[in-house]
Amino acid sequence: MRRFNVTVNGVSYDVVVEEVGGAPAQAPVAAPVAAPVAAPVAAPAAAPAPKAAPAGAAGAIAVKAPMPGTILKVNASVGAAVKKGDVLCVLEAMKMENDICAPQDGTVASVNVQKGASVNTDDVLITLN
């Protein structure tokens, strides 16, 4: 068994690791064993509200990619009227299909992606007015 101090996000942890295979383990060093330190529990972050499009369109809402992935399907077209909850496009991430829905009623001002496009987190997919 070997002991290590590991710091994660500014919090220090005392960790004991067992060596499996390889060279024989050294004799353990006598040291006082500290009580285990519980990992801090963070409250779940609220879903971010849609933000205005950076293109300078007044009152425009940017629908952004929540995670990196590939666009499987684009259901929206410029000028189309959409209602809150309508599926604008489908994003595949980690072998799962994620529906990207309209955050509010509006009209599609721009479609910035096409089928097969790779996107990163926070890339603007579609803009609504």
Side-chain angles (χ1 to χ4, degrees):
M1 300 283 217
R2 295 186 64 186
R3 291 183 65 202
F4 296 95
N5 286 326
V6 179
T7 303
V8 179
N9 294 333
V11 179
S12 184
Y13 299 93
D14 183 58
V15 180
V16 178
V17 179
E18 178 182 355
E19 283 188 48
V20 179
Q26 297 176 349
V29 176
V33 177
V37 179
V41 177
K51 297 178 183 168
I61 300 296
V63 179
K64 296 181 178 183
M67 64 191 83
T70 303
I71 301 297
L72 291 182
K73 187 182 204 181
V74 178
N75 296 336
S77 58
V78 176
V82 294
K83 294 193 181 284
K84 181 177 181 176
D86 286 353
V87 177
L88 302 175
C89 60
V90 178
L91 174 71
E92 179 188 36
M94 298 180 285
K95 305 284 185 188
M96 294 180 63
E97 294 182 11
N98 300 281
D99 292 339
I100 307 301
C101 299
Q104 66 182 36
D105 294 352
T107 304
V108 177
S110 68
V111 177
N112 303 324
V113 293
Q114 58 186 341
K115 182 179 177 179
S118 292
V119 297
N120 291 315
T121 302
D122 290 334
D123 282 355
V124 176
L125 306 176
I126 294 172
T127 306
L128 303 176
N129 282 334

